[in-house]
Structures are given as C-alpha cells and as structure tokens.
Amino acid sequence: MSAVDPSRPDIVAFMASASSALGRPLPAPKDVFNFGGPNPARADQFLLLAIQGKKTATTSWPVPDPLYWDVGDLSVIFNGKGEPKAVMETTSFVQCKFRDVEEEFALAEAEGDYEAYRTGHLAFYRAQENGEHFGEDSVVLCERFKVIYPTDGKVGDEGPGSLGLGATNEYSA
C-alpha cells in the first residue's frame, strides 16, 4: 500500500482534473510518491524530466512485498512541496539484482550516464533506513512508465498541472 493515502482530498481533486483534461475517467492511483526522496530540488528536477518525457524509468528499493500496483496502474507524482503534479502509468517492471540493472534502463532514468546511475543509486539507497544492507546483490524493482498527465510536457505557473516551480522548463543539476 502506498505510504500516502490516494483518497486524500488534493489527490482526488488532481485526479478529477486529469480525468477531465484527458476526457476519460481515471481509476484511483495505486501509488503516490515523489522522485528523489526527501530532497525537494531533486524531486522537482526528476518530475520535470518525467513530464518532458526524458525520464521514463525509476528504480525502487526495497521492493514492496507484495507489490500493490501492476502494469497499467496509475500513480501520482508529487513535486518537492508534496503537491500532486503528474499522473504516470506503469508500462513494465522487472526485479533483478542491482548489479544486473541494464545500462539502457539506467539511461532511461535520465540521471546521467551508467556510472552516474550506479554511484548515485548506491549512495541514495545506502543513506536510507537499513541502507547498510544495500549492495550489488540487493534486489531492486526496475519500473518503466509514461506520464499521461499533464500531456503538453510544459511547466506552468497556474492551474492543476502546474509544478509550482515558476515558469521554467530548464533542468538544472
């Protein structure tokens, strides 16, 4: 189950706006999260990359057991302020040892080259609770997705699809 309640009023309102904009009913999201952990700037950067279609993959550890979402399910992505800003659809996932994550998948995360993916994820997961247990043999979930809302790939200042980042469309490291 998602750590954030998908029936929270702001999430329900956001999903209603997405449904209206897409012209079709959407089921409740199975997951609600932000990319980049507790770092608001990283969450905003990765959210922007996902909306622009540059980030189409994400890695999770530890892998939830049981998984509470599947291929075709929707998730809401928060910005760094904890506000719902995008809806993504899971298109595939596979579990594998961290050492076996393929370069092509790592590059789809849009976080630099393969070595940057590996060193960044090692540092990120080792900094989490129980991170001392994370290593090359740890099983990770490699998830591919597509953002279905907003659909224009742009960041605005107002409206339900606004990232709340101002009027910038630039990615800054």
Side-chain angles (χ1 to χ4, degrees), residues 12 19 30 52 63 71 73 93 108 118 128 137 144 153 169:
V12 170
S19 181
K30 295 284 184 154
Q52 292 173 335
V63 177
V71 172
D73 287 336
F93 52 64
R118 291 189 46 71
Q128 292 185 11
D137 289 325
R144 292 191 179 268
N169 280 324

Side-chain angles (χ1 to χ4, degrees), residues 4-149:
V4 177
D5 183 359
S7 65
R8 222 172 69 178
D10 60 331
I11 297 168
V12 170
F14 182 76
M15 289 299 290
S17 294
S19 181
S20 177
L22 295 171
R24 61 184 170 106
L26 297 175
K30 295 284 184 154
D31 198 13
V32 181
F33 71 98
N34 69 284
F35 296 118
N39 182 320
R42 288 180 60 88
D44 287 343
Q45 289 172 350
F46 296 150
L47 171 62
L48 179 57
L49 289 170
I51 288 172
Q52 292 173 335
K54 296 175 183 175
K55 178 177 180 63
T56 59
T58 190
T59 306
S60 299
W61 178 84
V63 177
D65 184 23
L67 282 177
Y68 50 88
W69 75 103
D70 204 346
V71 172
D73 287 336
L74 303 181
S75 298
V76 169
I77 310 169
F78 282 156
N79 67 4
K81 297 176 185 174
E83 303 164 332
K85 295 299 176 182
V87 179
M88 70 176 232
E89 179 181 346
T90 300
T91 58
S92 70
F93 52 64
V94 60
Q95 293 184 41
C96 66
K97 290 183 179 181
F98 182 68
R99 77 171 75 250
D100 297 329
V101 172
E102 295 178 358
E103 183 173 2
E104 187 257 334
F105 177 88
L107 296 175
E109 285 218 23
E111 297 178 24
D113 63 18
Y114 185 58
E115 189 56 34
Y117 165 87
R118 291 189 46 71
T119 58
H121 280 73
L122 279 167
F124 179 76
Y125 291 131
R126 286 181 176 161
Q128 292 185 11
E129 183 178 346
N130 296 317
E132 68 275 7
H133 301 293
F134 185 79
E136 293 292 331
D137 289 325
S138 297
V139 175
V140 295
L141 182 68
C142 297
E143 179 178 5
R144 292 191 179 268
F145 63 87
K146 64 181 176 183
V147 170
I148 63 166
Y149 179 81

